[in-house]
Amino acid sequence: MNKNQRVPSSRSLSAVEVKSKFGAEFRRFSLDRSKPGRFDEFYGLLQHVHRIPNVELLVGYADVHGDLLPINNDDNYLKAISTSSPLLRLFLQRKEEADYTFGTDSLTRKKNTVLSAVLLRPDSNRKKPPVIISLPKDFRPVSSIIDVDILPETHRRVRLYKHGQEKPLGFYIRDGSSVRVTPQGLEKVPGIFISRMVPGGLAESTGLLAVNDEVLEVNGIEVAGKSLDQVTDMMIANSHNLIITVKPANQRNNVVRSGGSGAASGSSGRSSDSGASYYGYSSQGGVGAVASMPSHIIQNFPAGELESDEDDEDLVIEGGGEAEPIRRAPSNYSMPSLPRYEPHLNLRTTTTTSTSAHSISTNGTMPASGSSGSLSYANATSSTPSPDRAMEQRSLEEDGTVITL
Amino acid sequence: MRRFRRHGHESQRDRLKQELFHFNKTVEHGFPHQPSALGYSPSLQLLAIGNRSGAIKLYGAPGVEFMGLHDENAAVTQVHFLPHQVELVTLLDDNSLHMWTLRAHKGLSELLEIGRFMLTGPPGAPPSVTRVTAVLAHSSGELLLLGTEGGHVFVVEVPGFRELEERNISLDQVSNRLVTSAQHTNLEHVEALQENPVNPNQVVIGYGRGLMIIWDLEKQRAIQHIPATQQLESVWWTEDGSYILSSHSDGSYCRWMVGAEDVNEEEEKSDIPYGHFPCKAISKIVQLPTEKGPPFLLFSGGMPRASYGDRHCITVIQNKTQVALDLTSRIIDFFVIRDGPKHTDPSALVVLVEEELVVIDLQTEGWPVIQTPYLVPLHSSAITCSHHISTIPIKLWERVIAAGELQNTHYSKKPWPITGGQNLAPDPPQRDLLLTGHEDGTVCFWDASGVCLYPMYKLSTAAVFHTDADPNDNMNQGTEGEWPPFRKVGCFDPYSDDPRLGIQKIHLCKYSGYLTVAGTAGQILVLELNDEAAEQTVEAKVVDLLQGQEGFRWKGHTRLDVREEPVLFPPGFQPFALVQCQPPAVVTALTLHSEWKLVAFGTSHGFGLYDYQQKNNVLIKCTLNPSDQLAMEGPLSRVKSIKKSLRQSFRRMRRSRVSLRKHHVNNAAKAELAEMELAPVQRKIEARSSDDSFTGLVRTLYFADTFLSDSSHNTPSLWAGTNGGCVFAFMLRLPPVEHRADEPVTAQPAKEIQLMHRAPVVGIVVLDGHGAPLPEPLEVAHDLARSPDLQGSHHLLVISEEQFKVFTLPKVSAKMKLKLTAVDGSRVRRVGVAWFGSSRSEDYGESGLVVLTNQGDLHVVSLPGVKMQVQYPCIRREDVSGIASCVFTKHGQGFYLISPSEFERFSLSTRHVVEPRCLVEVPLHSDNSTKHRPLHDGFSSAHGCVPSVCLSQCCRYLVVCRLSDCLCFLPEVLQEIQKSLEGDQTHVAGLKRTSFIGSFTEILFLT
């Protein structure tokens, strides 16, 4: 594994050697480890050194375990710089003809590539089926279990991300009665229950909700005393970001809390999250990253702070102009426009619905390259549309008449 | 943290809220739903109506109204005022008796229940023994005679409901005296109880079988038996006490001589007025003498069973004149008001039928109808929409009244005969109009300024169209020699010639007198107020809202057929322009801008803008979603599906009944029933999508002069909101005034907002630089509103069913919002902008949004901050039609239908409250009345001297006022008292008329 590794030069303490491969061509350059810059600058530099200014790239690197992992934002870029020593090996592909898949063992499986021999790791993990990490654009949170630390173990708070999702929410609720323990003894009280799941719907696909689960809260508001129609309207009004607290009919799959520490409960919450695919990313950060920010992983939702603003992206079409989502006017009222689940995921990918995804485009030049060429990330030609752009497009399609202006 | 920081501010705001907002339901307008009993007090001149849901309402002079509700939810079957008292007794369906009184409190009378009573029979007796069928409030005011199903008559002392067992008239006592034993086996229930008008000790007891007995209350024995053989319906003792009239189930009535001896006389006279063929029962008969001339005979029913058995008639006969008043619905009861110098002459006949109150003037030739100032049947044709306009300019008001008076020429000129009580409510501060649109294409204009919802004018739009009904074939009454001599009275007419005529939306500009109404078949009429009759053709303009959208076929009704020849329109609102939408779907939104002379209208397919000066279309916009097929079905196919579901539910009901019957034998049916009961009601949880049905339905239209394109130039604009959460804004270009008639008005699309939550947009308001809603058109020109602030930035407030959202203008960016549905699950059903004045300081007030949710709760939301201020439960959430019918006024009041015929009025404002404030005083008997019933007028010798009784009664019923007032007016008051004690009635009245009313007891104490 080390045979191709150069002896670190004296420079390498402060600089990172980069070997970048695009197709059959290699480029070598170095970056300042202490000042790596931002991802978009780095991306521009790569386009520049390979002289492919207008080619959409997927950037991957080989980490210490020989896994091919993506670089597509500041976070994983910094991670790549900091963990690769002495050499950062990059693999560039055209976006449209990408044939590497990111994931563990992904490079080892590509036997016929030139690098396969180079990157072979000790075969200890051979027997395990490799974990496939899909492309960033495929990442979308679907559901999560939240607030495990503050809820009783018999309850489960499930968040369904309908936003930007083609799947129907897909469940029905009904009236029913449940038995409560009161000072007067057991008492039958009216309650709301899940009565049916639509096959293939979001609710069913998460596996977190089931028929006969009792609905206790909708987005932090208790449903006790509310009629079926009221609860229906509340759920529909929150449908883009629905948080339901249920008492599962099947109590055997409950999250069991070990110890009282935030980190522990955080990880247990994570373990039961069925939308686990995106946790593949956390492997690059290691356990330390998770442990360092347990407070982000566990989100508590006081009722007052439920002003989720994802629905704020009402579409405005100016006369003769093009559609744009409504940005919030600066006011004391405004909340950070970052989606709420972002800190929870500890990810900053372009898949998040943040409108800032568009603001990546810069005209910055890379300090290390010394090149005078100004590189720009053409926003319009981006083939990884951010969800809100996708939303726009879909709304336009749906409305049909809208575009005719 | 926040709690501590803002504490001071919050409490200040809370105090302000208390000064601004206060909720109460103030008065019910219209006609009580399902009336079941009628009562009248000649001494109080008050009318009482009880209904099937246990409400009791009292009416006197216009503005004098009282309402009470029995705790039991049982129907009121009888109402009786205690003669010469302010108490009344009600009998309910559940056999309970209730005593009500009008008690003065703080200068105003209140209707209070002061006692209840249930007759108890001997132990072990069947319930029929005590089931009350007839009630007589004895003229002494101290006794109540209760006839029962078992045939007994119980005597009860009132107002305390003390049973006087020793005075009861049992069946045995009566039948012991019977000579013939054939009748005594079964006398059946007591059908009627009447007192001898000249001898209060004598009452006649009429039994169901026909037997009548004159009973002496003092001697405790029967004086006379009257052996009628037909089933008895009612008994009437003539004024001079010498005859008894009885009416019977075979349509006959008999007159019996009242003799001193207990002999079985033959009836003196028997008649079947509409005889020969079998007749229906005469349910009530009344004979009244006149001062000079022949008496009046009035009776209800008695029609020939086969030919006119379905008519609801009251026959009035005087001398040779006989009229069968043909009423519009079932007769509940009737009475006759008498006036003249000796209060004997019948002056008016008051008939309560199921759907209206009809008053006939009996002193004017032809017995015309007197128009009722209240209790007007709002639902003479079913109400389909309503619209309220506050502060009508006096000019328009007078013109509408003038137009209305021309329509009312057939009414009697006599004043309203029921005049009890005093209306102490201050004159309404402003003139308010309530417009109701009806199923038959009429629009009624109501004076909604005060407690009485008084009809002003009625507009019919049907004349513009060809309808199935031939205008000549209505009212073909009056054919010579017809027998019985029918005359139609009353205005209740629920039958519509053509359901397409139904009015759906109304908008009136109070300054210009332009009115626009829109109906079920996509018709939009623009009308102008004209004081002269005019003959004109109404030009129709067809507007294709589909705009070439392919693949739709309208399955609903067709357009209305417009008359092409000129039509003569009476003075009043006359149509001059007509737009017909294609497809002819129900018009769902309508607004008019009289300054720009534009009308905007919307249906489930799109919206349009019509220039009524140039009579052409400015804009047509299709909002239809290509995948929305349901929108094209039209109301008729919807009806079909309702029918289908009705049929299904009936089937289900039948099935379940069958299974119930076979409960013991058929387990399968039982299981099926159980399954049906257990079948859960489910609700689908799904995000709204653009594919939902009726997303293109236009819910609201709004004109605004605001900053649509840039922040330096304000332009006229049209805003439209759809069911699918979309807002369209169009910039309008109006030619200068001098070229308004010839240069075209243009509209160009400026903005389109798609709300992400896609909830229906129910309201759009533009707020000016001060955060105040833009004034109505012409309001500024008439100096009635501050001109909007055009310096500061305007804001757009979009109200959807789920949230309130404020956007900046001209760049539309979200500024703030208030979520409703996401937080408490209720949805906005009705919304209006209102101004709330502070109760504490005259010049402070703020604008707010008044919101009614689908849960029936009222909210006030502040402007421009969209913060929830107050919340009050108002309507039951199951009462969908009540919620849908709600309209708000501009001053924080509102109306909603509590039944097809009644509006409930409520107020959210502390300053604008319209509620009945009235005073009813104890009747002080005039000479002739005391002469008339000398022994039972409260002046009985047992009470000692007359003045003391008078005084004690005054003390009981006059009003207590603040002591300080008493002191400063003391000499004057004492003088007044002195005069009144001398028996001078007019001075007492004068005292009451002065707004100062002192407590006699207190004053006496001071002296």
Side-chain angles (χ1 to χ4, degrees):
Chain A
M1 174 159 182
N2 285 339
K3 62 182 173 186
N4 271 14
Q5 193 172 318
R6 294 189 166 191
V7 179
S9 65
S10 59
R11 288 184 301 162
S12 68
L13 295 174
S14 60
V16 186
E17 278 185 67
V18 182
K19 181 181 171 189
S20 171
K21 178 185 176 265
F22 176 69
E25 291 186 46
F26 289 89
R27 293 285 186 280
R28 287 174 181 276
F29 55 94
S30 64
L31 289 172
D32 190 344
R33 196 188 289 274
S34 56
K35 279 183 276 179
R38 297 209 316 275
F39 169 71
D40 43 349
E41 295 164 344
F42 175 67
Y43 186 86
L45 177 69
L46 290 175
Q47 284 181 320
H48 177 71
V49 296
H50 282 279
R51 303 190 192 284
I52 42 167
N54 290 321
V55 176
E56 289 281 308
L57 295 172
L58 284 182
V59 184
Y61 76 102
D63 80 338
V64 287
H65 308 293
D67 295 340
L68 181 63
L69 297 175
I71 301 181
N72 47 21
N73 59 26
D74 288 352
D75 280 349
N76 51 19
Y77 169 57
L78 292 180
K79 182 57 71 184
I81 293 290
S82 59
T83 55
S84 63
S85 73
L87 181 66
L88 175 63
R89 278 164 299 177
L90 296 177
F91 303 93
L92 307 185
Q93 305 167 77
R94 283 180 197 273
K95 224 164 224 178
E96 54 272 23
E97 53 193 43
D99 60 347
Y100 303 143
T101 46
F102 296 113
T104 55
D105 288 351
S106 50
L107 290 180
T108 54
R109 289 166 63 207
K110 290 212 154 277
K111 292 254 175 296
N112 14 352
T113 60
V114 191
L115 278 174
S116 58
V118 177
L119 290 166
L120 270 177
R121 353 176 351 197
D123 249 358
S124 56
N125 287 342
R126 268 286 171 175
K127 283 145 273 173
K128 283 190 189 170
V131 180
I132 306 298
I133 303 174
S134 41
L135 287 173
K137 67 177 176 196
D138 299 332
F139 283 84
R140 180 175 292 126
V142 173
S143 62
S144 51
I145 294 189
I146 55 175
D147 293 351
V148 221
D149 58 334
I150 56 167
L151 284 177
E153 283 176 8
T154 52
H155 296 179
R156 182 187 297 165
R157 187 168 287 173
V158 177
R159 183 168 197 166
L160 296 176
Y161 301 91
K162 166 67 188 160
H163 191 60
Q165 186 91 27
E166 290 299 341
K167 266 185 190 170
L169 280 171
F171 64 101
Y172 289 74
I173 56 171
R174 62 166 170 91
D175 278 318
S177 61
S178 72
V179 179
R180 293 274 157 77
V181 184
T182 64
Q184 289 81 39
L186 289 181
E187 205 174 286
K188 236 181 172 185
V189 291
I192 304 286
F193 294 84
I194 293 175
S195 62
R196 189 152 88 80
M197 309 290 263
V198 177
L202 183 59
E204 192 209 34
S205 67
T206 64
L208 299 179
L209 298 172
V211 172
N212 293 331
D213 285 1
E214 185 183 0
V215 177
L216 302 171
E217 291 174 1
V218 175
N219 286 51
I221 292 151
E222 282 192 35
V223 302
K226 291 196 159 58
S227 69
L228 183 64
D229 287 329
Q230 263 176 297
V231 177
T232 306
D233 285 336
M234 282 169 73
M235 288 189 175
I236 290 174
N238 288 304
S239 56
H240 54 272
N241 173 32
L242 186 59
I243 301 164
I244 318 178
T245 312
V246 291
K247 188 177 169 199
N250 177 2
Q251 289 282 333
R252 279 172 299 182
N253 293 339
N254 289 343
V255 173
V256 183
R257 264 178 277 160
S258 53
S261 87
S265 60
S267 58
S268 66
R270 194 158 57 87
S271 66
S272 60
D273 199 319
S274 75
S277 59
Y278 48 82
Y279 280 105
Y281 270 119
S282 65
S283 66
Q284 66 181 287
V287 180
V290 175
S292 67
M293 30 179 47
S295 61
H296 289 284
I297 288 170
I298 293 140
Q299 284 181 313
N300 301 331
F301 284 89
E305 288 181 22
L306 271 172
E307 284 293 330
S308 137
D309 291 310
E310 284 147 65
D311 63 324
D312 253 355
E313 296 153 30
D314 301 330
L315 205 66
V316 175
I317 299 170
E318 298 285 337
E322 66 167 288
E324 59 169 275
I326 297 180
R327 309 276 160 99
R328 326 202 80 247
S331 72
N332 52 357
Y333 183 81
S334 91
M335 303 267 296
S337 64
L338 295 173
R340 293 288 306 195
Y341 54 80
E342 187 176 345
H344 174 45
L345 300 177
N346 190 23
L347 281 180
R348 217 155 284 174
T349 69
T350 52
T351 59
T352 63
T353 60
S354 160
T355 53
S356 65
H358 288 289
S359 64
I360 292 170
S361 88
T362 62
N363 295 324
T365 52
M366 294 303 288
S369 72
S371 155
S372 61
S374 138
L375 304 167
S376 74
Y377 177 38
N379 196 10
T381 56
S382 163
S383 64
T384 52
S386 67
D388 62 349
R389 171 63 65 160
M391 181 65 64
E392 274 168 42
Q393 284 166 350
R394 188 162 49 254
S395 317
L396 292 177
E397 283 156 22
E398 283 164 359
D399 284 296
T401 55
V402 173
I403 324 177
T404 59
L405 284 173
Chain B
M1 266 289 272
R2 186 182 293 169
R3 206 173 28 187
F4 294 120
R5 195 177 63 227
R6 311 222 14 219
H7 186 70
H9 181 70
E10 294 286 312
S11 64
Q12 194 186 340
R13 183 66 204 163
D14 283 344
R15 204 175 323 120
L16 196 55
K17 278 185 200 171
Q18 282 176 7
E19 290 166 15
L20 290 169
F21 313 115
H22 182 251
F23 175 71
N24 56 357
K25 295 184 182 178
T26 52
V27 61
E28 290 171 8
H29 298 299
F31 183 78
H33 189 50
Q34 297 183 317
S36 52
L38 176 70
Y40 179 67
S41 166
S43 54
L44 296 175
Q45 299 226 47
L46 286 180
L47 166 84
I49 295 177
N51 78 359
R52 279 204 233 156
S53 44
I56 169 103
K57 296 185 177 191
L58 270 60
Y59 298 89
V64 177
E65 291 184 12
F66 300 97
M67 191 200 145
L69 190 64
H70 294 90
D71 294 337
E72 298 84 354
N73 221 358
V76 180
T77 53
Q78 295 190 37
V79 179
H80 298 273
F81 282 92
L82 301 189
H84 314 293
Q85 313 265 334
V86 287
E87 276 90 23
L88 65 153
V89 174
T90 56
L91 172 66
L92 264 53
D93 218 7
D94 64 356
N95 205 35
S96 61
L97 285 152
H98 300 256
M99 180 67 67
W100 297 79
T101 191
L102 288 166
R103 184 166 292 164
H105 176 65
K106 289 185 182 167
L108 300 172
S109 295
E110 292 173 342
L111 183 62
L112 293 173
E113 187 179 348
I114 52 169
R116 61 184 66 194
F117 174 67
M118 189 83 94
L119 208 53
T120 47
S128 69
V129 170
T130 53
R131 175 96 201 156
V132 179
T133 52
V135 177
L136 172 65
H138 194 256
S139 62
S140 65
E142 293 161 353
L143 291 181
L144 209 58
L145 276 72
L146 307 171
T148 63
E149 203 170 281
H152 301 281
V153 177
F154 293 85
V155 183
V156 174
E157 192 182 66
V158 285
F161 284 126
R162 191 167 67 88
E163 282 184 76
L164 303 174
E165 276 173 39
E166 70 286 356
R167 299 180 71 174
N168 287 354
I169 307 159
S170 73
L171 207 52
D172 301 333
Q173 284 174 286
V174 174
S175 49
N176 280 347
R177 298 245 163 197
L178 280 181
V179 185
T180 49
S181 58
Q183 287 160 320
H184 107 260
T185 48
N186 190 358
L187 287 171
E188 281 200 350
H189 62 277
V190 177
E191 179 65 51
L193 284 167
Q194 282 281 324
E195 183 182 336
N196 186 345
V198 293
N199 182 0
N201 278 331
Q202 289 183 359
V203 292
V204 59
I205 306 165
Y207 294 94
R209 269 294 163 83
L211 179 76
M212 286 166 276
I213 288 169
I214 299 177
W215 183 264
D216 191 305
L217 289 171
E218 206 153 81
K219 297 182 186 132
Q220 298 275 313
R221 65 182 188 90
I223 301 169
Q224 187 180 359
H225 287 78
I226 301 172
T229 49
Q230 280 294 332
Q231 194 82 18
L232 190 70
E233 289 287 328
S234 81
V235 172
W236 177 259
W237 207 320
T238 57
E239 201 69 10
D240 56 3
S242 53
Y243 294 99
I244 286 173
L245 293 175
S246 62
S247 72
H248 301 278
S249 61
D250 64 343
S252 68
Y253 71 90
C254 308
R255 189 164 67 170
W256 313 84
M257 179 80 147
V258 177
E261 288 134 48
D262 186 5
V263 283
N264 294 334
E265 279 180 67
E266 284 301 301
E267 64 224 61
E268 179 150 302
K269 186 190 165 210
S270 176
D271 188 17
I272 303 181
Y274 296 108
H276 306 306
F277 296 108
C279 289
K280 295 194 84 174
I282 293 180
S283 54
K284 182 173 178 178
I285 187 160
V286 169
Q287 187 186 338
L288 292 166
T290 52
E291 190 69 10
K292 23 190 181 298
F296 271 94
L297 181 70
L298 306 101
F299 59 86
S300 62
M303 286 288 128
R305 183 177 296 275
S307 42
Y308 300 110
D310 55 343
R311 302 246 182 151
H312 312 285
C313 289
I314 288 189
T315 304
V316 185
I317 304 170
Q318 191 206 18
N319 206 2
K320 295 272 179 290
T321 322
Q322 177 169 358
V323 168
L325 300 169
D326 187 0
L327 293 139
T328 54
S329 46
R330 195 170 63 85
I331 295 162
I332 308 293
D333 201 354
F334 69 93
F335 64 84
V336 177
I337 298 173
R338 307 159 75 183
D339 66 357
K342 294 190 174 172
H343 288 272
T344 50
D345 269 13
S347 67
L349 164 68
V350 180
V351 188
L352 177 70
V353 295
E354 202 141 55
E355 305 291 353
E356 62 184 317
L357 185 82
V358 177
V359 180
I360 309 280
D361 175 8
L362 294 177
Q363 289 179 331
T364 307
E365 193 71 20
W367 297 334
V369 173
I370 302 174
Q371 189 171 22
T372 53
Y374 46 72
L375 284 169
V376 189
L378 296 166
H379 62 318
S380 56
S381 169
I383 294 178
T384 43
C385 67
S386 34
H387 177 67
H388 184 273
I389 311 109
S390 303
T391 2
I392 304 288
I394 184 77
K395 191 117 190 270
L396 178 72
W397 190 259
E398 283 170 349
R399 289 175 73 193
V400 172
I401 287 178
E405 273 168 0
L406 292 172
Q407 296 179 322
N408 294 340
T409 46
H410 59 283
Y411 284 117
S412 167
K413 300 278 181 294
K414 288 203 91 175
W416 180 244
I418 301 169
T419 55
Q422 296 174 52
N423 181 7
L424 300 178
D427 282 341
Q430 59 196 33
R431 289 164 298 274
D432 288 356
L433 258 183
L434 182 67
L435 271 55
T436 52
H438 299 264
E439 204 184 14
D440 61 353
T442 56
V443 178
C444 290
F445 287 60
W446 306 91
D447 174 359
S449 325
V451 169
C452 284
L453 194 66
Y454 185 78
M456 293 171 74
Y457 168 73
K458 188 173 178 177
L459 163 73
S460 175
T461 61
V464 181
F465 306 101
H466 284 289
T467 51
D468 299 338
D470 188 350
N472 297 323
D473 78 353
N474 58 350
M475 302 290 162
N476 53 348
Q477 94 253 54
T479 27
E480 280 302 308
E482 193 197 15
W483 190 260
F486 287 121
R487 198 187 114 199
K488 273 202 176 300
V489 290
C491 60
F492 176 71
D493 178 17
Y495 308 105
S496 170
D497 296 335
D498 190 335
R500 295 176 296 169
L501 290 171
I503 304 293
Q504 298 293 336
K505 294 284 162 192
I506 305 172
H507 192 114
L508 170 71
C509 170
K510 59 188 176 185
Y511 302 110
S512 61
Y514 281 105
L515 170 72
T516 178
V517 297
T520 306
Q523 75 272 29
I524 297 109
L525 278 165
V526 190
L527 305 99
E528 191 177 15
L529 187 55
N530 187 351
D531 301 329
E532 306 290 328
E535 190 163 13
Q536 61 199 42
T537 321
V538 180
E539 257 179 77
K541 186 103 187 170
V542 177
V543 169
D544 179 21
L545 286 172
L546 286 186
Q547 291 288 290
Q549 278 265 20
E550 297 282 317
F552 287 116
R553 202 170 61 83
W554 172 249
K555 297 176 193 157
H557 48 232
T558 56
R559 268 205 314 270
L560 279 163
D561 198 6
V562 186
R563 281 181 200 277
E564 274 151 19
E565 69 279 7
V567 183
L568 179 69
F569 294 105
F573 286 93
Q574 296 169 349
F576 67 93
L578 169 65
V579 179
Q580 289 188 290
C581 296
Q582 185 63 31
V586 176
V587 176
T588 53
L590 181 72
T591 186
L592 173 137
H593 199 293
S594 45
E595 214 167 336
W596 303 340
K597 303 200 186 306
L598 295 172
V599 168
F601 52 90
T603 72
S604 48
H605 308 116
F607 58 94
L609 181 64
Y610 179 76
D611 173 1
Y612 64 79
Q613 177 152 21
Q614 295 180 27
K615 297 194 181 171
N616 64 2
N617 286 307
V618 177
L619 161 74
I620 301 164
K621 166 84 182 162
C622 181
T623 53
L624 198 61
N625 180 349
S627 60
D628 183 4
Q629 285 298 325
L630 215 52
M632 295 309 289
E633 285 196 345
L636 294 183
S637 47
R638 303 271 288 174
V639 168
K640 238 182 266 163
S641 65
I642 290 170
K643 257 189 208 158
K644 197 174 152 198
S645 64
L646 270 180
R647 201 158 48 222
Q648 277 168 347
S649 65
F650 273 121
R651 233 177 249 155
R652 202 180 301 158
M653 246 158 64
R654 206 179 310 140
R655 217 189 305 154
S656 65
R657 263 196 221 122
V658 167
S659 58
L660 275 175
R661 211 177 300 134
K662 295 177 183 169
H663 194 254
H664 301 289
V665 289
N666 194 342
N667 271 333
K670 194 174 154 190
E672 186 192 35
L673 181 71
E675 186 191 18
M676 211 141 52
E677 280 167 353
L678 290 177
V681 184
Q682 328 187 77
R683 293 282 183 274
K684 187 174 187 177
I685 306 299
E686 203 46 77
R688 271 188 216 88
S689 86
S690 58
D691 295 338
D692 289 349
S693 283
F694 293 109
T695 49
L697 190 144
V698 179
R699 290 289 292 265
T700 183
L701 288 161
Y702 180 70
F703 284 114
D705 189 357
T706 187
F707 302 96
L708 193 54
S709 56
D710 63 274
S711 49
S712 48
H713 300 96
N714 52 315
T715 53
S717 59
L718 170 67
W719 299 78
T722 72
N723 225 20
C726 197
V727 176
F728 299 92
F730 283 80
M731 198 183 335
L732 308 179
R733 205 193 64 80
L734 298 163
V737 182
E738 57 272 23
H739 296 296
R740 179 65 183 82
D742 38 72
E743 278 183 28
V745 179
T746 59
Q748 68 182 77
K751 283 195 188 344
E752 196 178 318
I753 306 165
Q754 174 64 59
L755 300 177
M756 259 318 148
H757 61 285
R758 293 190 185 278
V761 177
V762 293
I764 297 172
V765 180
V766 171
L767 307 170
D768 73 2
H770 297 301
L774 293 185
E776 285 176 58
L778 292 174
E779 210 166 40
V780 177
H782 284 71
D783 276 342
L784 288 157
R786 202 165 42 94
S787 54
D789 177 23
L790 294 172
Q791 300 308 316
S793 60
H794 282 198
H795 287 105
L796 172 70
L797 170 60
V798 176
I799 302 139
S800 77
E801 282 191 358
E802 292 188 350
Q803 49 181 262
F804 307 81
K805 204 156 183 182
V806 178
F807 299 93
T808 58
L809 280 177
K811 178 106 179 70
V812 177
S813 52
K815 196 171 175 218
M816 49 196 156
K817 69 175 169 186
L818 172 67
K819 283 184 176 184
L820 183 70
T821 313
V823 174
D824 72 351
S826 57
R827 302 168 67 85
V828 177
R829 277 282 172 270
R830 295 266 149 184
V831 66
V833 176
W835 188 87
F836 293 94
S838 165
S839 58
R840 212 164 56 112
S841 76
E842 195 60 38
D843 49 349
Y844 183 76
E846 30 184 270
S847 286
L849 282 180
V850 189
V851 177
L852 178 71
T853 69
N854 66 341
Q855 302 297 314
D857 293 345
L858 281 167
H859 300 261
V860 177
V861 175
S862 67
L863 286 177
V866 286
K867 295 271 182 304
M868 204 67 94
Q869 300 297 301
V870 284
Q871 175 182 1
Y872 306 101
C874 179
I875 311 178
R876 284 179 308 114
R877 71 170 162 229
E878 296 82 15
D879 185 5
V880 178
S881 61
I883 292 172
S885 65
C886 183
V887 287
F888 297 116
T889 78
K890 291 262 181 293
H891 295 93
Q893 297 190 50
F895 301 85
Y896 67 92
L897 287 172
I898 47 175
S899 70
S901 56
E902 287 167 287
F903 272 117
E904 171 83 63
R905 189 183 192 121
F906 60 84
S907 178
L908 282 163
S909 164
T910 49
R911 203 183 284 176
H912 289 86
V913 182
V914 172
E915 57 187 343
R917 300 170 67 84
C918 36
L919 179 65
V920 173
E921 288 148 15
V922 69
L924 296 162
H925 318 307
S926 59
D927 286 345
N928 52 38
S929 74
T930 51
K931 191 165 64 192
H932 197 68
R933 300 188 191 272
L935 291 173
H936 297 273
D937 275 331
F939 291 95
S940 68
S941 52
H943 282 91
C945 65
V946 169
S948 76
V949 174
C950 186
L951 185 62
S952 73
Q953 291 195 338
C954 289
C955 293
R956 269 174 76 192
Y957 301 113
L958 286 184
V959 179
V960 182
C961 141
R962 272 172 298 157
L963 196 62
S964 59
D965 291 348
C966 291
L967 289 170
C968 59
F969 285 103
L970 198 55
E972 194 188 326
V973 171
L974 286 174
Q975 225 170 11
E976 292 276 8
I977 294 166
Q978 200 57 47
K979 280 179 190 162
S980 72
L981 290 184
E982 283 160 19
D984 191 338
Q985 304 288 325
T986 57
H987 276 80
V988 178
L991 167 69
K992 287 162 200 158
R993 230 177 284 123
T994 58
S995 61
F996 165 72
I997 302 161
S999 156
F1000 281 31
T1001 42
E1002 279 179 47
I1003 293 158
L1004 287 176
F1005 173 73
L1006 287 165
T1007 51

